[in-house]
Amino acid sequence: MPRVQFEDIIKTYGRVTVLKNLDLEIDDGEFLVLLGPSGCGKTTLLNLLAGLLDVTAGRITIGERDVTDLDPKDRGLAMVFQSYALYPTKTVRGNLKFGLASQKIDGAEVDRRIAWAARMLQIEPLLDRKPAQLSGGQRQRVAIGRALVKKVGLFLFDEPLSNLDAKLRTEMRLEIKKLHDELKSTIVYVTHDQIEAMTMATKIAVMDGGVIQQFGTPDEIYSRPRNLFVAGFIGSPAMNLRAGKITNGGGTVTAALDGVTLDLGRYGFASQPADGQPIVVGLRPEHFGAPGQALADAAGTFSLPVQYTEKTGGDATGYLKFGDGLIAARIDPEQIGRFRQGDTVDVSFPQGKVHVFDAVSGARL
Amino acid sequence: MSVADVSLRRAGEVPVERAPRFPRKPKGISGRSIAIIVFLTICAAFFCVPLYIIITTSFKTMEQVREGAIFSLPAPFTLDAWWSAWDTACSGIRCDGLKVGFWNSMAILFPSLILSIALSSVTGYALALWNVRWANTFLFVLFICAFVPFQIIMIPLIILSSGLKVYGTIWGIAIVHAVLAMPFLTLVFRNYYKGIPQEIMSAAMMDSGSFWRVFVEIILPMSGNILIVVLILQITSIWNDFLLGLTFGGLGTQPMSVVLANVVITTTGEAAYNENMAAALLTAIPPLFIYFVLGKFFVQGITAGAIKG
């Protein structure tokens, strides 16, 4: 169960740079999720680790081994692909068996491993079927099985659940999590789905533009986003980001945005902000207080007209008109009746939940 | 609900339970479709009438042929012309029939089939799925080669093959066939393999990484369709070839098409039309047989179940 290290990785395609001087360390037994929008370089990074692509410059080590120039089969890892990539002419058993093609092990051990993986993934009755005779979820299990039989310490997953329907996805999410707990192996998992990332990962690396924007536990990423990109990317509905200005005078720090003043007296600034510094304030929709109730530790209260509301079963979001944009606030679905279009409601925001970013650099203050 | 209804339902079909409220009008025959049918009939007749004459004539006796009624049915019906075409027809001074040519053609066909398909499928696989240096340049050269007419390189090839001491032998013809087919077949295989999903190849690289093992165990079993296409293409083109067999074949090593031409040309006394027709049909049987047999093996969706579907 090895440690994985990327050192100063550069990857270019012709004149396009996909990864810029990337450094990343994945600890033994970690479940790392590479999260980011399409084209952020997360799949490229995974393929570099798998050996399916060559780095332009840099070094990759797995355990103590420098694998930068090794063939994929010699790197001691297994990979599950987005499209499953099963061999169509082989049976499930044949697929699992070919997973061991590069390992020199005897027939009895091969059979033992296939039986073990099949039991673990509950695909025993399917062993003699061809991939075409399987459903999407079953194919996904076989694809995972083909990786499992290798008994390696490092598994790579490339958006493995994106082709499944919502219900199956939730099931498989749990199952992959369970596999990780049982096998205690290191997992690198690529996805653009933040729910997958938040639920499964022990560490998340949020990527954008070929750069790791933040690397940390799911809680850290959610509660202390390091910059505007991470703040806007994590959370659904997305964090409300509004431009404003710092007022720093007389021992109190406040933020003025569009007529509302937010008290930042208890905000943990890394360094004291300057008076008049342009900032962006981030307010998560789910942290707004209930409409009409003033919170004791409110940083500020918004009195805004309702534009429209959105209900998703057990959850509801109100969109309030603020300046020339909208602010989303999570509301109790029971109370949605009180949010009528055009009505003005008072919602307050608690002090400890405010995020403040530098408007120029985008970094957290 | 009747038993039949129940079994239908179990099979996933739902029987109609009442008369349709909005019945569809049956489509009538329009002037346009009549024109199309007439046109197609004329086209079909264009091919069918000569074929009819060839077939009937081959079963006639020479007496009946001499009567001149070419559309009449054979009476008496006889296989004599077929037998003599196969066994005793004269090509030049040898009167061994078409059988010599038939076995020569077979002896040419198999080595050149195996050689050309083996070489071009492996080359196509390498060009499509592995990182080959200069692959695009190589492809461009192949592309050019595929369009060079045989006539242009015929003389140099003859000189080359006689230098290699294979000129005039069955092997010589077989090898030249294989070599000439290489560029085109390689392009065919390469384009087909380009269609194999990248992730399957990536998975194979991670699982095995061996050039030959991935080819034999993964890629070749997925090549059923294209192998059938290439087989039909190659068998018909090698079997029907005349020029190459004529120029590279020595005495006694000529393929069936060349022997057929000689049989038809060689006449002592009257032209034996029934024998000539039978000889032509005999020569045409193998490719026809291939079409009928292999055509059935055309299977759809080689990658069924491999990826999302």
Side-chain angles (χ1 to χ4, degrees):
Chain A
M1 273 151 275
R3 209 161 139 268
V4 179
Q5 197 167 7
F6 293 94
E7 290 170 87
D8 216 359
I9 299 293
I10 298 173
K11 177 66 186 172
T12 57
Y13 289 109
R15 285 157 68 185
V16 184
T17 306
V18 187
L19 296 173
K20 300 162 194 158
N21 303 85
L22 184 140
D23 286 292
L24 181 63
E25 244 185 82
I26 307 160
D27 273 337
D28 184 9
E30 205 80 80
F31 194 130
L32 174 83
V33 172
L34 298 172
L35 180 65
S38 300
C40 71
K42 57 190 193 299
T43 298
T44 304
L45 187 61
L46 194 76
N47 283 337
L48 290 177
L49 177 56
L52 297 170
L53 292 175
D54 285 329
V55 294
T56 309
R59 199 159 78 115
I60 304 171
T61 48
I62 299 176
E64 297 305 309
R65 238 159 32 116
D66 182 350
V67 298
T68 318
D69 296 316
L70 290 185
D71 280 342
K73 67 176 165 69
D74 300 323
R75 295 193 177 196
L77 45 80
M79 183 157 170
V80 179
F81 295 88
Q82 177 176 9
S83 65
Y84 322 139
L86 300 179
Y87 307 123
T89 54
K90 287 184 178 291
T91 59
V92 169
R93 191 190 302 279
N95 267 280
L96 296 187
K97 202 170 186 168
F98 199 77
L100 296 168
S102 71
Q103 302 188 9
K104 289 190 173 52
I105 47 178
D106 64 78
E109 172 67 13
V110 170
D111 291 340
R112 208 161 47 237
R113 287 201 195 174
I114 291 174
W116 167 76
R119 200 170 51 243
M120 200 127 174
L121 294 161
Q122 294 147 28
I123 51 172
E124 283 154 315
L126 310 176
L127 279 177
D128 294 312
R129 294 215 203 148
K130 292 273 179 74
Q133 298 164 297
L134 303 177
S135 69
Q138 290 169 332
R139 287 179 203 170
Q140 186 59 72
R141 280 166 197 274
V142 176
I144 294 174
R146 191 173 60 189
L148 277 190
V149 290
K150 293 195 179 120
K151 292 223 169 179
V152 289
L154 175 59
F155 290 97
L156 314 183
F157 287 83
D158 184 8
E159 307 201 20
L161 306 184
S162 56
N163 285 339
L164 302 177
D165 62 55
K167 184 166 173 286
L168 212 51
R169 200 178 306 169
T170 317
E171 273 174 42
M172 287 305 291
R173 212 159 66 197
L174 273 173
E175 219 154 306
I176 293 176
K177 184 83 188 138
K178 215 171 74 195
L179 275 178
H180 176 242
D181 291 342
E182 275 174 44
L183 300 172
K184 311 241 178 300
S185 45
T186 309
I187 291 182
V188 183
Y189 187 107
V190 164
T191 185
H192 57 256
D193 181 342
Q194 45 172 307
I195 312 268
E196 275 175 34
M198 295 304 255
T199 50
M200 297 200 285
T202 58
K203 284 277 176 64
I204 296 178
V206 183
M207 290 182 73
D208 186 48
V211 175
I212 292 182
Q213 303 289 339
Q214 186 167 3
F215 177 57
T217 65
D219 282 343
E220 281 167 19
I221 302 257
Y222 177 77
S223 55
R224 287 186 64 82
R226 233 181 64 187
N227 57 33
L228 273 175
F229 175 79
V230 179
F233 191 73
I234 301 287
S236 171
M239 188 190 277
N240 299 296
L241 295 167
R242 308 299 303 206
K245 267 201 170 65
I246 286 277
T247 320
N248 190 358
T252 55
V253 183
T254 55
L257 48 154
D258 265 338
V260 177
T261 306
L262 290 179
D263 181 4
L264 299 178
R266 281 196 272 151
Y267 185 82
F269 283 105
S271 61
Q272 275 301 306
D275 189 41
Q277 186 177 354
I279 52 160
V280 174
V281 172
L283 310 169
R284 288 207 185 276
E286 54 270 39
H287 292 148
F288 278 96
Q293 282 173 28
L295 294 170
D297 62 338
T301 301
F302 295 82
S303 190
L304 302 170
V306 177
Q307 185 85 4
Y308 60 94
T309 56
E310 215 175 54
K311 221 173 153 177
T312 52
D315 228 334
T317 312
Y319 291 89
L320 313 174
K321 198 154 165 47
F322 181 55
D324 51 359
L326 292 174
I327 271 194
R330 191 191 163 272
I331 46 179
D332 188 346
E334 308 263 304
Q335 301 208 352
I336 201 158
R338 293 171 62 187
F339 276 66
R340 274 189 304 274
Q341 196 176 343
D343 285 4
T344 298
V345 291
D346 290 345
V347 283
S348 50
F349 198 86
Q351 280 225 16
K353 304 292 189 185
V354 184
H355 305 275
V356 184
F357 304 95
D358 186 282
V360 182
S361 69
R364 186 185 185 84
L365 289 175
Chain B
M1 201 186 291
S2 71
V3 177
D5 280 355
V6 173
S7 65
L8 262 180
R9 275 179 202 277
R10 204 170 290 149
E13 291 173 34
V14 183
V16 176
E17 281 176 356
R18 57 168 194 211
R21 268 171 74 196
F22 306 105
R24 312 286 298 176
K25 269 196 214 110
K27 289 200 176 81
I29 295 173
S30 66
R32 201 165 138 250
S33 61
I34 291 174
I36 290 172
I37 289 168
V38 168
F39 175 73
L40 290 179
T41 311
I42 292 171
C43 286
F46 202 76
F47 289 94
C48 289
V49 171
L51 188 63
Y52 168 80
I53 294 169
I54 290 175
I55 292 173
T56 49
T57 307
S58 74
F59 292 114
K60 289 176 183 174
T61 57
M62 265 322 280
E63 286 78 35
Q64 199 190 353
V65 173
R66 270 191 293 269
E67 285 167 13
I70 58 171
F71 289 105
S72 64
L73 286 168
F77 180 93
T78 171
L79 284 172
D80 286 353
W82 285 74
W83 276 119
S84 63
W86 174 253
D87 212 33
T88 59
C90 294
S91 118
I93 51 163
R94 293 182 58 179
C95 292
D96 296 329
L98 278 172
K99 62 177 189 289
V100 185
F102 176 82
W103 294 118
N104 282 345
S105 276
M106 283 290 181
I108 291 165
L109 184 64
F110 284 100
S112 64
L113 267 187
I114 292 167
L115 201 64
S116 60
I117 290 178
L119 283 175
S120 55
S121 63
V122 173
T123 317
Y125 157 70
L127 286 175
L129 301 173
W130 288 73
N131 289 325
V132 179
R133 201 182 290 249
W134 307 114
N136 285 332
T137 316
F138 189 64
L139 268 177
F140 182 71
V141 172
L142 279 181
F143 193 70
I144 300 287
C145 289
F147 286 96
V148 174
F150 167 63
Q151 287 83 343
I152 289 179
I153 51 169
M154 188 169 79
I155 305 292
L157 260 181
I158 290 174
I159 296 169
L160 199 68
S161 66
S162 70
L164 294 169
K165 305 266 186 271
V166 289
Y167 179 77
T169 65
I170 292 215
W171 274 98
I173 304 176
I175 290 170
V176 173
H177 267 301
V179 168
L180 289 179
M182 267 284 288
F184 181 66
L185 292 189
T186 304
L187 286 176
V188 168
F189 276 110
R190 185 257 177 198
N191 288 349
Y192 184 77
Y193 291 146
K194 264 287 174 208
I196 287 181
Q198 185 54 50
E199 289 202 331
I200 289 190
M201 199 51 201
S202 295
M205 291 303 289
M206 306 216 57
D207 287 343
S208 160
S210 144
F211 181 88
W212 290 108
R213 190 147 181 203
V214 171
F215 180 65
V216 173
E217 283 205 43
I218 308 294
I219 302 300
L220 212 49
M222 290 171 73
S223 313
N225 278 2
I226 199 68
L227 282 176
I228 300 281
V229 171
V230 166
L231 268 180
I232 292 181
L233 209 71
Q234 272 299 87
I235 291 176
T236 41
S237 88
I238 293 174
W239 196 271
N240 293 341
D241 158 74
F242 178 73
L243 185 58
L244 211 152
L246 184 70
T247 47
F248 282 77
L251 211 56
T253 60
Q254 287 155 332
M256 200 168 184
S257 56
V258 177
V259 179
L260 169 70
N262 288 343
V263 165
V264 174
I265 295 163
T266 310
T267 26
T268 44
E270 64 175 355
Y273 288 114
N274 56 352
E275 193 182 274
N276 292 349
M277 303 290 179
L281 284 172
L282 271 174
T283 314
I285 283 173
L288 278 177
F289 177 76
I290 291 299
Y291 275 122
F292 284 122
V293 172
L294 291 188
K296 283 190 181 159
F297 290 106
F298 264 110
V299 274
Q300 290 299 311
I302 44 140
T303 58
I307 55 168
K308 187 195 181 268

